[in-house]
Amino acid sequence: MRVPKGGTDMHCPSCKKITTCKAVPAAQVTYDSSDYGQRRYYTKHSDIQFFQRGRECLSCGHEFVSAEVDHEFLEELVELRDALSAIKTNAEMYVKESAAASTSLTKLSESLGVLRALKVYKGSKG
């Protein structure tokens, strides 16, 4: 026999735990009167479609908006985040190595300057 709980178990962004949350109108959470429709999409990216629902955590009372998206979209998002993370790591390494190379080139230039000065000095003695 199923016992009604009055909500759905989900992650509450305030409690940071899985807790029972009830559905509330999204407009109640966002204070946007046009948020009564559940089906949403981004104007610039009409291929990104999702369902949104207002939620209220029954443990802490926090109101938030949840979204349901296509599983393939989530997989693509994870791949893109991984790729961006790799780009960031590589960019940070490039910056470090560039700074080290710049320091080495400065030292090399100074050494060459000393060699040139010695050559000029030896040339004037002789």
Side-chain angles (χ1 to χ4, degrees):
M1 185 168 131
R2 194 168 179 195
V3 178
K5 297 185 306 179
T8 302
D9 286 347
M10 59 190 336
H11 180 265
C12 171
S14 181
C15 294
K16 306 283 189 227
K17 62 183 178 181
I18 303 296
T19 183
T20 304
C21 298
K22 72 176 183 177
V24 296
Q28 175 181 321
V29 179
T30 63
Y31 304 108
D32 181 355
S33 61
S34 69
D35 254 350
Y36 277 98
Q38 289 185 345
R39 185 178 201 93
R40 307 291 289 182
Y41 67 93
Y42 287 98
T43 308
K44 287 181 157 182
H45 304 279
S46 61
D47 60 323
I48 301 176
Q49 299 178 16
F50 59 97
F51 288 93
Q52 77 172 14
R53 289 180 176 80
R55 302 286 184 179
E56 180 183 342
C57 176
L58 295 180
S59 294
C60 70
H62 178 69
E63 292 182 339
F64 59 99
V65 175
S66 68
E68 298 174 18
V69 298
D70 182 67
H71 191 265
E72 288 178 15
F73 177 73
L74 284 175
E75 289 175 350
E76 181 182 348
L77 180 62
V78 168
E79 286 178 29
L80 288 170
R81 285 183 81 176
D82 289 346
L84 284 172
S85 178
I87 289 169
K88 180 182 177 192
T89 299
N90 291 333
E92 288 168 350
M93 190 182 320
Y94 173 80
V95 167
K96 260 187 212 172
E97 290 177 4
S98 293
S102 178
T103 301
S104 294
L105 286 172
T106 300
K107 288 179 181 179
L108 178 61
S109 181
E110 290 169 359
S111 297
L112 288 173
V114 169
L115 286 176
R116 283 188 205 107
L118 284 174
K119 186 177 178 183
V120 169
Y121 174 73
K122 285 183 179 179
S124 68
K125 277 182 135 181

